[in-house]
Amino acid sequence: MASRTRGGHRDEPELQPVKFSRLTRRGVLLGLSLSQLLVLAIAALSIVVALYMGGGILLAYAAPICLLCAVLAWVPVGGRKLIEWLPIALRWVSRITGGQLLFRARIVKPRPAGTLALPGDAAPLREYLDPATDAAMIHDPHAQTLTAVLTVTHPAFVLLDPSEQERRVTGWGRVLATCCRSGRIARVQVLERTLPDSGSGLAEWWSEHGRADGSWTSTVYAELIDRAGPAGERHATTLSVALDMRAATRAIRTAGGGMKGAAAVLRQEMTTLSAALRAADLTPSEWAGPGEIAVMLRSAYDPAVAATLERHRDLGRNLATAGPVALTESWQHLHSDSAFHAVLWITEWPRSLVYPGFLAPILLSSGVRRAFSLIATPIRSDQAARDIRKKKTEYISDAHQRQRIGQIEDAQQSAEFEDVLQQEADLTSGHGILRYTGLIAVSAPTLDELEGAVSALEQAAIQASCETRRLVGQQAAAFAAAALPLCRTV
């Protein structure tokens, strides 16, 4: 890192602004996506068939088909072309006809041992208790991943001086680079959530420093602390790492095969990640066991019981009953147990230079129950290099094609090509390439309060120079990815 000297003394490193790559909107050909090309090909085919079969009245029959295809390909609704809504709508209809929008916990007929009581796509998840670390590892048999969860504590980033912030940003970059070099990590999820303050801190302080001598004063203090309810909110951060069992097949076989071998390989990654976190001045706790994960899952679906679970550490620590009792999914929101939920997707990160604390308006928003998930997918260096070369070739060929037909190249396309060149330079310098997905799960007791909280988070995202979009037609899967520390994707 560059530093300057002044008066014979070495200055502290300055906080450097950063810029994110844009969400690419380049299509397969001339900015058109594959779905757009398909519907336009259908329109062209209908005209050719009509002309081949004699024209006349057949062209009149083909005209509505061409008009419909043009509308599907070019008319935008909610930031997407109509043809891009078609898969979402079809999946939503299939879920309605299949009765998949409602979930009710089976009370009389329990789930099989080792399975998590989660709805929807998360139902096949299995629990594996690692005997070496007592950590609960979550196995996804469909995605072939094995996930472990770690609680991380850290000082308030916005309260640090700029030089300390820059040092911690550099350390966190080394943590992410470690994940990229492994080649066996499928995803890394950072989950930051707000929780009601249950007053357990007061109870712990009284148990350590209080004098329980049976006096009137001591009895009154103990009763007041015991009756003290939630008095605000606190923030909790977890880091989840998912092992790609397909990429680690050889290592798993060497370690003994099966879940035992996969756990041994994941344990190696967990040790490396813990060491990298400590080097970055982050304080990792012990890897979460079944009880801790059960509390996280139940608190997400039933926020009203979160304070009770925190105060009474022996309740709600069974993964077999940690899911929701009832869940109803709607087009724009989700209703589970004691709260309504909605999930926002960060579609655009800041396009201009910003400092590392740019997410402060979202993370420090008060009075809103929310969970912010940053899901990073590490890309191996060789695969990242191939992807960058492919993108460069496609951008150059598209530029030549536009030049041939006289189409003017806009600033968006030039900026996306510059992002690709910057990624190539970063990869050459030894940095890792990761694909980020930002999700915000908002929860509230009533539907009206939920809409107010969503509006507040949308305004906070604008202050953070981010663009958000409410995910529709997939709220259940999006909530599992945003609010649960299981390295899920949408």
Side-chain angles (χ1 to χ4, degrees):
M1 183 181 302
S3 61
R4 297 173 296 177
T5 58
R6 181 180 303 168
H9 297 283
R10 184 182 180 89
D11 288 347
E12 293 291 338
E14 296 181 354
L15 188 62
Q16 300 295 326
V18 295
K19 184 174 69 172
F20 290 82
S21 299
R22 293 163 178 79
L23 179 64
T24 178
R25 304 188 185 277
R26 183 186 54 82
V28 178
L29 180 64
L30 299 179
L32 299 176
S33 64
L34 180 60
S35 57
Q36 289 176 296
L37 291 176
L38 286 177
V39 294
L40 293 178
I42 292 174
L45 182 62
S46 64
I47 295 177
V48 171
V49 171
L51 291 175
Y52 179 77
M53 298 185 66
I57 191 63
L58 295 179
L59 285 176
Y61 289 145
I65 299 177
C66 296
L67 180 61
L68 177 62
C69 291
V71 169
L72 290 175
W74 280 308
V75 174
V77 174
R80 297 181 181 179
K81 300 298 189 293
L82 280 176
I83 189 61
E84 296 176 354
W85 284 106
L86 187 59
I88 299 176
L90 291 177
R91 187 167 182 261
W92 179 257
V93 171
S94 66
R95 296 186 62 199
I96 292 178
T97 56
Q100 299 179 5
L101 301 183
L102 300 176
F103 171 81
R104 300 294 182 267
R106 296 179 295 181
I107 307 300
V108 178
K109 185 180 179 181
R111 299 176 66 91
T115 60
L116 274 65
L118 297 178
D121 298 337
L125 297 182
R126 303 288 188 268
E127 170 200 356
Y128 177 80
L129 183 61
D130 183 28
T133 60
D134 292 330
M137 299 180 177
I138 309 302
H139 177 223
D140 188 340
H142 296 323
Q144 285 296 298
T145 59
L146 191 64
T147 305
V149 183
L150 176 72
T151 301
V152 179
T153 57
H154 51 85
F157 183 82
V158 295
L159 300 180
L160 301 175
D161 59 85
S163 60
E164 181 64 17
Q165 288 182 349
E166 179 65 20
R167 189 177 68 85
R168 290 181 178 272
V169 168
T170 303
W172 175 245
R174 294 194 186 100
V175 174
L176 296 178
T178 302
C179 298
C180 291
R181 295 190 187 99
S182 171
R184 302 183 299 194
I185 294 180
R187 282 178 295 276
V188 176
Q189 177 188 9
V190 180
L191 173 60
E192 200 275 345
R193 53 202 174 101
T194 57
L195 298 173
D197 189 358
S198 64
S200 59
L202 291 174
E204 293 177 358
W205 183 90
W206 175 253
S207 63
E208 294 178 2
H209 305 281
R211 180 179 297 176
D213 53 6
S215 62
W216 177 83
T217 305
S218 174
T219 303
V220 170
Y221 265 98
E223 290 178 354
L224 288 176
I225 291 175
D226 185 63
R227 296 175 183 177
E233 63 183 23
R234 65 182 183 88
H235 297 259
T237 305
T238 59
L239 181 66
S240 307
V241 55
L243 174 71
D244 189 347
M245 298 177 66
R246 294 189 182 96
T249 301
R250 185 174 180 180
I252 293 174
R253 192 182 304 114
T254 304
M259 290 302 301
K260 181 179 178 181
V265 177
L266 179 57
R267 200 157 51 239
Q268 297 173 0
E269 301 295 339
M270 292 160 56
T271 302
T272 303
L273 184 60
S274 298
L277 290 173
R278 293 189 182 93
D281 289 333
L282 298 174
T283 307
S285 66
E286 297 294 330
W287 291 88
E292 290 83 358
I293 295 181
V295 170
M296 295 178 194
L297 300 185
R298 186 173 177 187
S299 300
Y301 285 105
D302 191 3
V305 79
T308 303
L309 295 179
E310 185 181 356
R311 287 172 59 87
H312 304 279
R313 302 299 178 89
D314 55 343
L315 297 179
R317 297 188 169 261
N318 186 6
L319 274 175
T321 58
V325 175
L327 184 143
T328 303
E329 182 180 1
S330 301
W331 180 254
Q332 288 191 339
H333 66 269
L334 187 72
H335 186 199
S336 68
D337 292 356
S338 62
F340 290 85
H341 315 276
V343 180
L344 302 177
W345 169 40
I346 299 180
T347 56
E348 286 286 355
W349 298 96
R351 299 183 182 182
S352 59
L353 290 173
V354 293
Y355 288 97
F358 71 97
L359 285 176
I362 299 176
L363 301 181
L364 300 182
S365 57
S366 60
V368 177
R369 178 69 185 269
R370 57 107 191 101
F372 175 83
S373 279
L374 183 63
I375 304 172
T377 303
I379 309 298
R380 294 198 315 268
S381 299
D382 55 344
Q383 181 180 351
R386 287 196 301 268
D387 292 343
I388 290 175
R389 286 195 297 268
K390 180 181 178 182
K391 289 180 181 179
K392 286 179 60 179
T393 303
E394 291 174 350
Y395 276 112
I396 294 173
S397 61
D398 284 351
H400 286 309
Q401 188 68 22
R402 286 191 295 268
Q403 187 177 7
R404 287 178 56 189
I405 64 177
Q407 185 178 3
I408 300 176
E409 184 170 344
D410 56 17
Q412 176 72 22
Q413 296 162 345
S414 301
E416 291 180 3
F417 184 60
E418 292 177 0
D419 291 340
V420 173
L421 297 179
Q422 183 62 44
Q423 291 177 8
E424 185 180 29
D426 294 340
L427 186 64
T428 305
S429 301
H431 298 286
I433 301 296
L434 301 100
R435 295 172 181 167
Y436 288 102
T437 301
L439 299 173
I440 307 173
V442 189
S443 303
T446 64
L447 195 55
D448 292 337
E449 293 182 31
L450 176 66
E451 296 301 327
V454 169
S455 299
L457 261 299
E458 289 175 342
Q459 293 299 317
I462 293 175
Q463 297 177 21
S465 302
C466 296
E467 295 181 13
T468 58
R469 181 181 299 171
R470 191 166 181 168
L471 291 176
V472 294
Q474 48 189 339
Q475 281 289 316
F479 183 79
L484 307 184
L486 303 179
C487 284
R488 305 284 295 172
T489 57
V490 184

